[in-house]
Amino acid sequence: MSHTAAKSAGPKIAIVTGATSGFGDAIARRLVAEGWRIVATGRRRDRLDALVEALGGPDVVHPLCFDIRDEEATSTALATLPDAFANISVLVNNAGLALGTGAAQDCDLEHWRTMIDTNVTGLVTITRLLLDRLIAQRGLIVNLASIASNWPYPGGNVYGGTKAFVKQFSLGLRSDLSAQGVRVTSIEPGLSESEFTLVRTGGDNAAYDALYGGADPLQPEDIAETVRWVVSLPSHVNINSVEIMPVSQSWAPFKIHRDTLS
Ligand code: NDP
Ligand code: 8X3
């Protein structure tokens, strides 16, 4: 005898933040291929328009152009959702960035604030604004954390801190929302080839080539496939966290800096 709860049917509607490049773009494409309607967000209007065009038009993809750091803009954008896209059951919190690779003592405070405003404040804001809808749909929240949530590295400082927040927030949400049947997953990718590194380095193509060259890094499609899998599981199954690296990436010994006091 099965104790599995009955499933609800209805249109599959997901919102993917940061759908204008990298993971978000690939996730939107993958979910549309699986029959989802997508609300695609980002600041670059031309890229959102191109995505709508590429994925079958405005009946399939609804673009919302706003800066996720701006609570009013986020709230206003969500309030404009047409009925056909209103019943969101999956939130993919993907928009985010790193700025800089330097040691903390050399970092620009404005870069730190931008990462916190985007990766932490923006993410929790849109999550809170969508929670009632997600609860009504017994939905799923997929948060893009990082291996930087789990492992410190030189130059990771505030970026790693924001991603550790995303992971822990995911687990906390899961605790609060399990009684409502809402699932929450933290996805924690490692080295992945995307514009992320150009954003982080201020457009340094040589740094991009040095980081990814010969490493056979993860591709956005690998993360999209992971999201597809998480989303497709039966509603009684919750994947708490998934850490993913390319085969080429693994761990190194702890470093020991000697003669610290001399
Ligand atoms: P990209 O730079 O390719 O994409 C980032 C996306 O975030 C863009 O669509 C961008 O849209 C959006 N975004 C950034 N800032 C804002 C903002 N203020 N308002 C609205 N949207 C914003 O990076 P990835 O696809 O690689 O990264 C996606 C997520 O995955 C990030 O959270 C990142 O931290 C995480 N991640 C990335 C890894 C990697 O190695 N690439 C590994 C692990 C995690 P727009 O500029 O149009 O606003
Ligand atoms: C991005 C992966 O290793 O550059 O989140 O922090 S890493």
Side-chain angles (χ1 to χ4, degrees), residues 146-148 153 159 189-190 196 200:
S146 167
I147 59 165
Y153 60 85
Y159 177 70
F196 175 87
R200 184 172 204 167

Short mmCIF file of all heavy atoms in Angstrom, two decimals, residues 146-148 153 159 189-190 196 200, ligand 2:
data_model
loop_
_atom_site.label_atom_id
_atom_site.label_comp_id
_atom_site.label_asym_id
_atom_site.label_seq_id
_atom_site.Cartn_x
_atom_site.Cartn_y
_atom_site.Cartn_z
N SER A 146 26.99 27.62 -4.05
CA SER A 146 28.29 27.44 -4.71
C SER A 146 29.15 26.52 -3.87
O SER A 146 28.90 26.36 -2.66
CB SER A 146 28.98 28.81 -4.82
OG SER A 146 30.34 28.68 -5.16
N ILE A 147 30.20 25.97 -4.48
CA ILE A 147 31.20 25.30 -3.62
C ILE A 147 31.80 26.31 -2.64
O ILE A 147 32.29 25.93 -1.59
CB ILE A 147 32.32 24.60 -4.43
CG1 ILE A 147 33.06 25.60 -5.32
CG2 ILE A 147 31.77 23.43 -5.24
CD1 ILE A 147 34.39 25.05 -5.84
N ALA A 148 31.72 27.61 -3.00
CA ALA A 148 32.22 28.65 -2.09
C ALA A 148 31.37 28.75 -0.82
O ALA A 148 31.77 29.38 0.15
CB ALA A 148 32.27 30.00 -2.80
N TYR A 153 38.40 29.88 0.10
CA TYR A 153 39.61 29.95 -0.73
C TYR A 153 40.09 31.40 -0.74
O TYR A 153 39.28 32.32 -0.54
CB TYR A 153 39.36 29.41 -2.15
CG TYR A 153 38.30 30.15 -2.94
CD1 TYR A 153 38.60 31.30 -3.67
CD2 TYR A 153 36.98 29.70 -2.95
CE1 TYR A 153 37.62 31.97 -4.40
CE2 TYR A 153 36.00 30.36 -3.69
CZ TYR A 153 36.33 31.48 -4.40
OH TYR A 153 35.37 32.16 -5.12
N TYR A 159 32.26 36.98 -1.29
CA TYR A 159 31.49 36.12 -2.20
C TYR A 159 31.15 34.79 -1.50
O TYR A 159 29.99 34.35 -1.48
CB TYR A 159 32.25 35.86 -3.50
CG TYR A 159 31.48 34.91 -4.42
CD1 TYR A 159 30.30 35.32 -5.04
CD2 TYR A 159 31.91 33.60 -4.61
CE1 TYR A 159 29.57 34.45 -5.84
CE2 TYR A 159 31.18 32.72 -5.42
CZ TYR A 159 30.01 33.15 -6.02
OH TYR A 159 29.28 32.28 -6.80
N PRO A 189 27.52 24.58 -7.33
CA PRO A 189 28.47 24.23 -8.40
C PRO A 189 29.88 24.74 -8.11
O PRO A 189 30.08 25.76 -7.45
CB PRO A 189 27.90 24.96 -9.63
CG PRO A 189 26.55 25.44 -9.24
CD PRO A 189 26.60 25.63 -7.75
N GLY A 190 30.83 24.01 -8.68
CA GLY A 190 32.22 24.49 -8.71
C GLY A 190 32.51 25.16 -10.04
O GLY A 190 31.62 25.76 -10.65
N PHE A 196 30.23 34.79 -15.68
CA PHE A 196 30.54 35.01 -14.27
C PHE A 196 31.98 35.52 -14.08
O PHE A 196 32.22 36.48 -13.33
CB PHE A 196 30.34 33.67 -13.53
CG PHE A 196 30.73 33.65 -12.09
CD1 PHE A 196 29.83 34.03 -11.11
CD2 PHE A 196 31.99 33.21 -11.70
CE1 PHE A 196 30.19 33.99 -9.76
CE2 PHE A 196 32.35 33.16 -10.35
CZ PHE A 196 31.45 33.55 -9.39
N ARG A 200 33.36 39.02 -12.75
CA ARG A 200 34.19 39.04 -11.54
C ARG A 200 35.50 39.80 -11.75
O ARG A 200 36.00 40.45 -10.84
CB ARG A 200 34.50 37.59 -11.13
CG ARG A 200 35.26 37.49 -9.83
CD ARG A 200 35.38 36.06 -9.33
NE ARG A 200 35.59 36.07 -7.90
CZ ARG A 200 35.49 35.00 -7.12
NH1 ARG A 200 35.24 33.82 -7.63
NH2 ARG A 200 35.68 35.09 -5.82
C1 8X3 B 2 31.59 30.18 -8.20
C2 8X3 B 2 32.54 29.06 -7.97
O1 8X3 B 2 34.84 28.47 -7.03
O2 8X3 B 2 34.63 30.56 -8.24
O3 8X3 B 2 30.62 30.20 -7.21
O4 8X3 B 2 33.71 30.33 -6.03
S1 8X3 B 2 33.99 29.64 -7.28
#
